[in-house]
Amino acid sequence: MTRKRFVAGAKCPKCHAQDSIVLFKENGIETVECVECDYREQQTEAKVSQKAKSEVIGLFKPE
């Protein structure tokens, strides 16, 4: 069973629902999806690290 965690305060970029985004890892790929609509985005560790520049304070890595 995959453990999904809600991202507090996150807004869905598609339906704009607040607190509806969950984060989880699926086959080693970080995935975010909205529980209110069909929005889903996946990115590999390389893409996550690439996005983590000066505007990011920390990077959440679930176990």
Side-chain angles (χ1 to χ4, degrees):
M1 182 173 178
T2 303
R3 185 163 57 177
K4 297 181 179 183
R5 298 178 185 200
F6 277 94
V7 180
K11 243 185 202 181
C12 175
K14 185 175 179 182
C15 71
H16 305 288
Q18 181 108 18
D19 296 328
S20 64
I21 298 290
V22 291
L23 171 70
F24 59 97
K25 273 202 171 182
E26 186 175 61
N27 300 323
I29 298 172
E30 189 173 272
T31 305
V32 292
E33 68 181 18
C34 178
V35 297
E36 297 292 327
C37 71
D38 63 346
Y39 174 78
R40 183 179 176 108
E41 183 180 341
Q42 294 181 320
Q43 52 190 1
T44 61
E45 288 291 328
K47 286 184 181 178
V48 172
S49 296
Q50 189 178 39
K51 285 186 177 182
K53 301 286 184 202
S54 61
E55 68 270 1
V56 176
I57 295 171
L59 190 61
F60 176 72
K61 291 189 176 188
E63 295 178 17

Coordinates of all heavy atoms in Angstrom, one line a residue:
M1 N 0.8 -1.2 0.0 CA 0.0 0.0 0.0 C 0.9 1.2 0.0 O 1.8 1.4 0.8 CB -0.9 0.0 1.2 CG -1.8 1.1 1.3 SD -3.0 0.9 2.7 CE -3.9 2.4 2.5
T2 N 0.6 2.2 -0.8 CA 1.3 3.4 -1.0 C 0.8 4.4 0.1 O -0.4 4.6 0.2 CB 1.2 4.0 -2.4 OG1 1.6 3.0 -3.3 CG2 2.0 5.3 -2.5
R3 N 1.7 5.0 0.8 CA 1.3 6.0 1.8 C 1.3 7.4 1.1 O 2.3 7.8 0.6 CB 2.3 6.0 3.0 CG 1.9 6.9 4.1 CD 2.6 6.7 5.3 NE 4.1 6.8 5.2 CZ 4.9 6.6 6.3 NH1 4.4 6.4 7.5 NH2 6.2 6.7 6.1
K4 N 0.1 8.0 1.2 CA -0.1 9.3 0.6 C -0.2 10.3 1.7 O -0.8 10.1 2.7 CB -1.4 9.3 -0.3 CG -1.3 8.4 -1.5 CD -2.6 8.4 -2.3 CE -2.5 7.5 -3.5 NZ -3.6 7.6 -4.3
R5 N 0.4 11.5 1.4 CA 0.4 12.6 2.4 C -0.2 13.8 1.8 O 0.2 14.2 0.7 CB 1.8 12.8 3.0 CG 2.4 11.6 3.6 CD 3.8 11.9 4.1 NE 4.4 10.7 4.6 CZ 5.4 10.7 5.4 NH1 6.0 11.8 5.7 NH2 5.8 9.6 5.9
F6 N -1.1 14.5 2.5 CA -1.6 15.8 2.1 C -0.6 16.8 2.2 O 0.2 16.8 3.2 CB -2.9 16.1 2.8 CG -4.1 15.5 2.3 CD1 -4.6 14.3 2.9 CD2 -4.8 16.1 1.3 CE1 -5.7 13.7 2.4 CE2 -6.0 15.4 0.8 CZ -6.4 14.3 1.4
V7 N -0.5 17.8 1.3 CA 0.4 18.9 1.4 C -0.4 20.1 1.9 O -1.3 20.6 1.2 CB 1.0 19.2 0.0 CG1 1.9 20.4 0.1 CG2 1.7 18.0 -0.6
A8 N -0.2 20.5 3.1 CA -1.0 21.6 3.8 C -0.8 22.9 3.0 O 0.3 23.3 2.7 CB -0.5 21.7 5.2
G9 N -2.0 23.5 2.7 CA -2.0 24.8 2.1 C -1.8 24.8 0.6 O -1.9 25.8 -0.1
A10 N -1.6 23.6 0.0 CA -1.3 23.5 -1.4 C -2.7 23.6 -2.2 O -3.7 23.2 -1.8 CB -0.7 22.2 -1.8
K11 N -2.6 24.3 -3.4 CA -3.7 24.5 -4.2 C -3.5 23.8 -5.5 O -2.4 23.8 -6.1 CB -3.8 26.0 -4.6 CG -5.1 26.7 -4.1 CD -5.1 28.1 -4.6 CE -6.0 28.9 -3.8 NZ -6.2 30.3 -4.2
C12 N -4.6 23.1 -6.0 CA -4.5 22.4 -7.2 C -4.4 23.4 -8.4 O -5.2 24.3 -8.5 CB -5.7 21.5 -7.4 SG -5.8 20.7 -9.0
P13 N -3.4 23.2 -9.3 CA -3.3 24.2 -10.4 C -4.4 24.0 -11.4 O -4.6 24.9 -12.2 CB -1.9 23.8 -11.0 CG -1.5 22.5 -10.5 CD -2.3 22.2 -9.2
K14 N -5.1 22.9 -11.4 CA -6.2 22.7 -12.4 C -7.6 23.3 -11.9 O -8.2 24.1 -12.5 CB -6.3 21.3 -12.8 CG -7.3 21.0 -13.9 CD -7.3 19.6 -14.3 CE -8.3 19.3 -15.4 NZ -8.3 17.9 -15.8
C15 N -8.0 22.7 -10.7 CA -9.3 23.1 -10.2 C -9.3 24.2 -9.1 O -10.3 24.6 -8.6 CB -10.1 21.9 -9.7 SG -9.4 21.2 -8.2
H16 N -8.1 24.5 -8.6 CA -7.8 25.5 -7.6 C -8.4 25.2 -6.2 O -8.6 26.1 -5.4 CB -8.3 26.9 -8.1 CG -7.8 27.3 -9.4 ND1 -6.4 27.7 -9.5 CD2 -8.3 27.4 -10.6 CE1 -6.2 28.0 -10.8 NE2 -7.3 27.8 -11.5
A17 N -8.7 23.9 -6.0 CA -9.1 23.5 -4.7 C -8.0 23.6 -3.7 O -6.9 23.1 -4.0 CB -9.7 22.1 -4.7
Q18 N -8.2 24.1 -2.5 CA -7.2 24.2 -1.4 C -7.2 23.0 -0.6 O -8.2 22.3 -0.4 CB -7.6 25.4 -0.5 CG -6.5 25.6 0.6 CD -5.7 26.9 0.3 OE1 -6.1 27.7 -0.4 NE2 -4.6 27.0 1.0
D19 N -6.0 22.6 -0.2 CA -5.7 21.4 0.6 C -6.3 20.1 0.0 O -6.8 19.2 0.7 CB -6.4 21.5 2.0 CG -5.7 22.7 2.8 OD1 -4.5 22.9 2.6 OD2 -6.4 23.3 3.6
S20 N -6.1 19.9 -1.3 CA -6.6 18.7 -2.0 C -5.5 18.0 -2.7 O -5.7 17.0 -3.3 CB -7.6 19.1 -3.1 OG -7.0 19.9 -4.1
I21 N -4.2 18.4 -2.5 CA -3.1 17.8 -3.1 C -2.4 16.7 -2.2 O -2.2 17.0 -1.0 CB -2.0 18.8 -3.5 CG1 -2.6 19.8 -4.5 CG2 -0.7 18.2 -4.0 CD1 -2.8 19.3 -5.9
V22 N -2.2 15.5 -2.7 CA -1.5 14.5 -2.0 C -0.2 14.2 -2.7 O -0.1 14.3 -3.9 CB -2.4 13.2 -1.8 CG1 -3.5 13.4 -0.9 CG2 -2.8 12.7 -3.2
L23 N 0.8 13.8 -1.9 CA 2.1 13.5 -2.4 C 2.5 12.1 -2.0 O 2.2 11.7 -0.9 CB 3.1 14.5 -1.7 CG 4.6 14.2 -2.0 CD1 5.0 14.5 -3.4 CD2 5.4 15.1 -1.0
F24 N 3.0 11.3 -3.0 CA 3.4 10.0 -2.7 C 4.5 9.5 -3.7 O 4.6 10.2 -4.8 CB 2.2 9.0 -2.7 CG 1.5 9.0 -4.0 CD1 1.7 8.0 -4.9 CD2 0.5 9.9 -4.2 CE1 1.0 8.0 -6.1 CE2 -0.2 9.9 -5.4 CZ 0.0 8.9 -6.4
K25 N 5.1 8.4 -3.4 CA 6.1 7.9 -4.4 C 5.5 6.6 -5.0 O 5.0 5.8 -4.3 CB 7.4 7.5 -3.7 CG 8.4 8.7 -3.6 CD 9.8 8.2 -3.4 CE 10.7 9.4 -3.6 NZ 12.1 9.0 -3.5
E26 N 5.6 6.5 -6.3 CA 5.1 5.4 -7.1 C 6.2 4.9 -8.0 O 6.6 5.5 -8.9 CB 3.9 5.9 -7.9 CG 3.1 4.8 -8.6 CD 1.9 5.4 -9.2 OE1 2.0 6.2 -10.1 OE2 0.8 4.9 -8.9
N27 N 6.7 3.7 -7.7 CA 7.8 3.1 -8.4 C 9.0 4.0 -8.5 O 9.6 4.1 -9.5 CB 7.3 2.7 -9.8 CG 6.2 1.7 -9.9 OD1 6.2 0.8 -9.0 ND2 5.3 1.9 -10.8
G28 N 9.3 4.7 -7.4 CA 10.5 5.5 -7.3 C 10.3 6.9 -7.9 O 11.2 7.7 -8.0
I29 N 9.1 7.2 -8.3 CA 8.8 8.5 -9.0 C 7.9 9.3 -8.1 O 6.8 8.8 -7.6 CB 8.1 8.3 -10.3 CG1 9.0 7.5 -11.3 CG2 7.7 9.6 -11.0 CD1 8.4 7.1 -12.6
E30 N 8.3 10.5 -7.7 CA 7.5 11.4 -6.9 C 6.2 11.8 -7.7 O 6.3 12.3 -8.8 CB 8.3 12.6 -6.4 CG 7.6 13.4 -5.4 CD 8.5 14.5 -4.9 OE1 9.2 14.2 -3.9 OE2 8.5 15.6 -5.4
T31 N 5.1 11.6 -7.0 CA 3.8 11.9 -7.7 C 2.9 12.8 -6.8 O 2.9 12.6 -5.6 CB 3.0 10.6 -8.0 OG1 3.9 9.7 -8.7 CG2 1.8 10.9 -8.8
V32 N 2.3 13.8 -7.4 CA 1.3 14.6 -6.7 C 0.0 14.5 -7.5 O 0.0 14.4 -8.7 CB 1.7 16.1 -6.6 CG1 2.9 16.3 -5.7 CG2 2.0 16.8 -7.9
E33 N -1.1 14.4 -6.8 CA -2.4 14.4 -7.4 C -3.4 15.1 -6.6 O -3.3 15.2 -5.4 CB -2.8 13.0 -7.8 CG -3.1 12.1 -6.6 CD -3.5 10.7 -7.1 OE1 -3.2 10.3 -8.2 OE2 -4.1 10.0 -6.2
C34 N -4.5 15.5 -7.3 CA -5.6 16.2 -6.6 C -6.7 15.2 -6.3 O -7.0 14.4 -7.2 CB -6.1 17.3 -7.5 SG -7.5 18.2 -6.8
V35 N -7.2 15.2 -5.1 CA -8.3 14.3 -4.7 C -9.7 14.8 -5.2 O -10.6 14.1 -5.2 CB -8.3 14.0 -3.2 CG1 -7.0 13.3 -2.8 CG2 -8.5 15.3 -2.4
E36 N -9.7 16.1 -5.7 CA -11.0 16.7 -6.1 C -11.2 16.6 -7.7 O -12.3 16.5 -8.1 CB -11.0 18.2 -5.8 CG -11.0 18.4 -4.3 CD -12.2 17.9 -3.6 OE1 -13.3 18.0 -4.2 OE2 -12.1 17.5 -2.4
C37 N -10.1 16.5 -8.4 CA -10.2 16.4 -9.9 C -9.2 15.4 -10.4 O -8.6 14.7 -9.6 CB -10.0 17.8 -10.5 SG -8.3 18.4 -10.5
D38 N -9.0 15.3 -11.7 CA -8.1 14.3 -12.2 C -6.6 14.8 -12.5 O -5.8 14.2 -13.2 CB -8.6 13.8 -13.6 CG -8.8 14.9 -14.6 OD1 -8.6 16.1 -14.3 OD2 -9.0 14.5 -15.8
Y39 N -6.2 15.9 -11.8 CA -4.9 16.5 -12.0 C -3.9 15.5 -11.4 O -4.1 15.0 -10.3 CB -4.7 17.8 -11.3 CG -3.3 18.4 -11.3 CD1 -2.8 18.9 -12.4 CD2 -2.5 18.3 -10.2 CE1 -1.5 19.4 -12.5 CE2 -1.2 18.7 -10.2 CZ -0.7 19.3 -11.3 OH 0.6 19.7 -11.4
R40 N -2.8 15.3 -12.1 CA -1.7 14.4 -11.6 C -0.4 14.8 -12.3 O -0.4 15.1 -13.5 CB -2.0 12.9 -12.0 CG -1.1 11.9 -11.5 CD -1.6 10.5 -12.0 NE -0.6 9.5 -11.6 CZ -0.8 8.6 -10.7 NH1 -1.9 8.7 -10.0 NH2 0.1 7.7 -10.4
E41 N 0.7 14.9 -11.5 CA 2.0 15.2 -12.0 C 3.0 14.3 -11.4 O 3.0 14.0 -10.2 CB 2.3 16.7 -11.7 CG 3.6 17.2 -12.3 CD 3.9 18.6 -11.9 OE1 3.0 19.4 -11.5 OE2 5.1 19.0 -12.0
Q42 N 3.9 13.9 -12.3 CA 5.0 13.0 -11.8 C 6.3 13.6 -12.2 O 6.5 14.2 -13.2 CB 4.9 11.6 -12.5 CG 3.6 10.9 -12.0 CD 3.6 9.5 -12.7 OE1 3.9 9.3 -13.8 NE2 3.1 8.5 -11.9
Q43 N 7.3 13.3 -11.3 CA 8.7 13.8 -11.7 C 9.7 12.9 -11.0 O 9.5 12.4 -9.9 CB 8.9 15.2 -11.3 CG 8.6 15.6 -9.9 CD 8.6 17.1 -9.7 OE1 8.9 17.9 -10.7 NE2 8.4 17.6 -8.5
T44 N 10.8 12.6 -11.7 CA 11.8 11.7 -11.1 C 12.7 12.5 -10.2 O 12.6 13.7 -10.1 CB 12.7 11.2 -12.3 OG1 13.3 12.3 -12.9 CG2 11.9 10.4 -13.3
E45 N 13.5 11.8 -9.4 CA 14.4 12.5 -8.4 C 15.3 13.5 -9.1 O 15.6 14.5 -8.6 CB 15.3 11.4 -7.8 CG 14.6 10.6 -6.8 CD 14.1 11.3 -5.5 OE1 14.8 12.2 -5.1 OE2 13.1 10.9 -5.0
A46 N 15.7 13.2 -10.3 CA 16.6 14.2 -11.1 C 15.9 15.5 -11.3 O 16.4 16.6 -11.1 CB 17.1 13.6 -12.4
K47 N 14.6 15.4 -11.7 CA 13.8 16.6 -11.9 C 13.5 17.4 -10.6 O 13.5 18.6 -10.6 CB 12.5 16.3 -12.6 CG 12.6 15.9 -14.1 CD 11.2 15.7 -14.7 CE 11.3 15.3 -16.1 NZ 10.0 15.1 -16.7
V48 N 13.3 16.7 -9.5 CA 13.0 17.3 -8.2 C 14.3 18.1 -7.8 O 14.2 19.2 -7.4 CB 12.7 16.2 -7.2 CG1 12.6 16.9 -5.8 CG2 11.3 15.6 -7.5
S49 N 15.5 17.4 -7.9 CA 16.7 18.1 -7.6 C 17.0 19.3 -8.4 O 17.5 20.3 -8.0 CB 17.9 17.1 -7.7 OG 17.7 16.0 -6.7
Q50 N 16.7 19.2 -9.7 CA 16.9 20.3 -10.7 C 16.0 21.5 -10.3 O 16.5 22.6 -10.4 CB 16.6 19.8 -12.1 CG 17.0 20.8 -13.2 CD 16.6 20.2 -14.5 OE1 15.6 19.6 -14.7 NE2 17.5 20.4 -15.5
K51 N 14.8 21.3 -9.9 CA 13.9 22.3 -9.5 C 14.3 23.0 -8.2 O 13.9 24.1 -7.9 CB 12.4 21.8 -9.4 CG 11.8 21.6 -10.7 CD 10.3 21.3 -10.6 CE 9.7 21.1 -11.9 NZ 8.3 20.8 -11.8
A52 N 15.0 22.2 -7.3 CA 15.4 22.7 -6.0 C 16.5 23.7 -6.1 O 17.7 23.4 -5.9 CB 15.7 21.6 -5.1
K53 N 16.2 24.9 -6.4 CA 17.2 26.0 -6.5 C 17.1 26.9 -5.3 O 16.6 26.5 -4.3 CB 17.0 26.7 -7.9 CG 17.1 25.9 -9.1 CD 18.5 25.5 -9.4 CE 18.5 24.7 -10.7 NZ 19.6 23.9 -10.9
S54 N 17.5 28.1 -5.5 CA 17.5 29.1 -4.4 C 16.1 29.4 -3.8 O 15.9 29.9 -2.7 CB 18.2 30.4 -4.8 OG 17.5 31.0 -5.9
E55 N 15.0 29.3 -4.6 CA 13.7 29.6 -4.2 C 13.1 28.6 -3.2 O 12.0 28.8 -2.6 CB 12.7 29.9 -5.3 CG 12.4 28.7 -6.2 CD 13.3 28.5 -7.4 OE1 14.3 29.2 -7.5 OE2 13.1 27.5 -8.1
V56 N 13.7 27.4 -3.1 CA 13.2 26.3 -2.3 C 14.0 26.3 -1.0 O 15.2 26.2 -1.0 CB 13.3 25.0 -3.0 CG1 12.8 23.9 -2.1 CG2 12.4 25.0 -4.3
I57 N 13.3 26.3 0.1 CA 14.0 26.2 1.4 C 14.4 24.8 1.7 O 15.5 24.5 2.2 CB 13.1 26.8 2.5 CG1 12.8 28.3 2.3 CG2 13.7 26.6 3.9 CD1 11.8 28.9 3.2
G58 N 13.5 23.8 1.5 CA 13.8 22.5 1.8 C 13.0 21.6 0.9 O 12.1 22.0 0.2
L59 N 13.4 20.3 0.8 CA 12.8 19.4 -0.1 C 12.3 18.2 0.8 O 13.0 17.6 1.5 CB 13.9 18.9 -1.1 CG 13.4 18.0 -2.2 CD1 12.4 18.8 -3.1 CD2 14.6 17.6 -3.1
F60 N 11.0 17.9 0.7 CA 10.4 16.9 1.5 C 10.6 15.5 0.8 O 10.2 15.4 -0.4 CB 8.9 17.2 1.6 CG 8.1 16.1 2.3 CD1 8.3 15.9 3.6 CD2 7.3 15.3 1.6 CE1 7.6 14.9 4.3 CE2 6.6 14.3 2.2 CZ 6.7 14.1 3.6
K61 N 11.2 14.6 1.5 CA 11.4 13.3 0.9 C 10.7 12.2 1.8 O 11.3 11.9 2.8 CB 12.9 13.0 0.7 CG 13.5 13.8 -0.3 CD 14.9 13.3 -0.6 CE 15.5 14.1 -1.7 NZ 16.8 13.6 -2.1
P62 N 9.5 11.8 1.4 CA 8.9 10.7 2.3 C 9.6 9.4 2.2 O 10.3 9.1 1.3 CB 7.5 10.6 1.6 CG 7.6 11.1 0.3 CD 8.7 12.1 0.3
E63 N 9.5 8.7 3.3 CA 10.3 7.4 3.4 C 9.6 6.3 2.6 O 8.5 6.2 2.4 CB 10.4 7.0 4.9 CG 11.2 8.0 5.6 CD 11.3 7.6 7.1 OE1 11.0 6.5 7.5 OE2 11.7 8.5 7.8

